[in-house]
Amino acid sequence: MIGEFFKGLFLMIWKVVTDQPDPKVEFVSVFPATIQPIISVLLSIVPIIMVFASLFALTTLLERKGLGRIQNRLGPNRVGPFGLFQPVADGLKMLTKEDIVPHSADKLIHFLAPIVLLVPTLLAYAVLPFGQNMVPIDMDAGILFFFAVGASTELSIFMAGWSSRNKYSLLGAMRAIAQMISYEIPLIISSVTVIMIAGSLSLVEIVDKQSGYHFGFLPHWNVFTPWGLAGFIIFLIASLAESNRSPFDIPEAESEIIAGHLTEYSGFKYALFFLAEYLGMFAVSGLAVTLFLGGWRAPLPFLEIVPSYIWFLLKLMGLVCLFIWIRGTLPRLRVDQLLNFAWKFMLPMSLINLFVAAIWHFTSVWNFRGAGLGRWLLCAAMIAVPYVWLGRTLIGNKKITHRTYRFAN
Amino acid sequence: MLGEGIIKGMVETAKNFVGSYHDPKRLTTVEYPENKIPAKENARNFPFLVFDGVDADKGLRCVACQICEKECPPKCIYIIKDTVKKPDYMGKMQIQPKIFDIDISVCMSCQICVEVCPFEAIKMDTQFELSTTDRFENLLLNKRELAKPNEYYHKIHPTEATEVDERLAAEKAKAEAKAKADAEAKAKATVAAAAAKAAPTPVPAPAK
């Protein structure tokens, strides 16, 4: 029994590392038939929680270091070599802090909010294909499940804001709702383009459709098509807003409303909110990777010997680094700018992009000389012209010049 | 075009990111406990008492006049006068403080005590590493802890200390000159008095 157990365990680990199909089968068969489903489920869930929670710790350090360098500072370097144990110190600090519940708070909802935020965020990982043979559940409507689960995070943020009985919390929560509802629409419409082209709601199927290479080196990723590039950018901007990150961090704008819905949270509950925020960011970046960057597929044919999950993680971390870079660059938007941008620019652009994706789909039957290039240029122009025009209307007729201060000079 | 400024900003931050690795001059921060920036001359934190010479008890400039105690807005100074007098820098006998306490947990670093002191006895320190584990005992500084030599004052505020020293020297010289003049006048007066006294003394000429 014990020999079989370890044999199964090592076989599973070997299969996972070498990217083989069905890694769990031998190990699960060691257990009695009645508990096999539970073991199988645990084997899917535990690695996700472990990997992404440690990725969260790593990202907090990476973010602080990166932001420091962007601002010509060194960043944390006190705990351990190069400050590598900073996340451990932060975690211990969070755990040992007093858990304060305001006297007049709605105690049950105040307690539930961080949990209700974390659970759907973790559920969203259930449908992401992390590697060639690494998808927890291959759902037919995976992307629909992802968005359905992701939308429920808004509820828990409002729960947190409402139950705290604090004006800043409530203001933050209302801002969060306004922002998330506005940006959910471009987020979904930009991913609908991918569903249209792939003809499937299953994320595994979507990754499969992006296999192969043009001219032997350019992968068939959606991001290399005009509608895919535009969709990717719209998706990135909307996902920044969805995960409440800078420059869309107005729900927790420190200089305006203290910490928004987090104001009345401390200790471990605050850490849970933080964790859920980062896990949400990873999940939505993972979806962006799956939809537009070819999922776990290697960028070049000869790099396919590198295991698929490594490519997924690399692309994910690349997006996270981009998010950190954006955070270090852009100042926070005002609420009116945020909503104007969502409704006057993002929504029209994503609708146009949907139309362009349809054109792309119907022009795939063209088979005259230079059809491929012609189709590409047509679709690119159909996106570029409205982009410039919408951008101009968004800026308006205002001439942006240096501001002069009449009384200060 | 829309988005141009964002690209420009991203390039700028990328330059900072890469530049901070190969050009240490870009780094504006200082690794604090290991490296310290010398305090600026105008820096000030909490007051200390100046003494001349080497002995803190003998050279303390404070004469326990209690002006600072009365002027202190948060009332963090506590003075008890001593019954024994001691000579000040001009040799004049002055009262000295028996107890001189400053509670730096209350002090707000306003420098009013320094402004009102007529004896140049209390000045502002630049020492800021004062954290302790006991917020009651260790933040209440007594006379011994507050007393610092004039050389230390010169080190932390050179311009100001030189000016103070010149003023004190001038006062001393003036006082000495006055004392000298007084002594001379006195001596002259005694001589004159003696002369006056002596003048009528000569034996009167015998009457013929």
Side-chain angles (χ1 to χ4, degrees), chain B residues 57-88:
Chain B
D57 283 334
K58 266 187 198 155
L60 206 64
R61 286 181 185 170
C62 178
V63 299
C65 65
Q66 291 179 313
I67 296 177
C68 53
E69 188 184 16
K70 289 186 184 102
E71 292 284 345
C72 179
K75 300 276 174 257
C76 69
I77 303 178
Y78 177 73
I79 301 171
I80 296 273
K81 289 180 183 178
D82 205 346
T83 45
V84 188
K85 290 190 175 186
K86 71 166 177 54
D88 69 354

Side-chain angles (χ1 to χ4, degrees), chain A residues 300-321:
Chain A
L300 287 171
F302 70 90
L303 289 171
E304 272 168 10
I305 47 162
V306 178
S308 57
Y309 53 90
I310 298 225
W311 284 118
F312 184 84
L313 267 184
L314 279 179
K315 289 172 189 174
L316 184 72
M317 286 317 284
L319 281 188
V320 168
C321 289

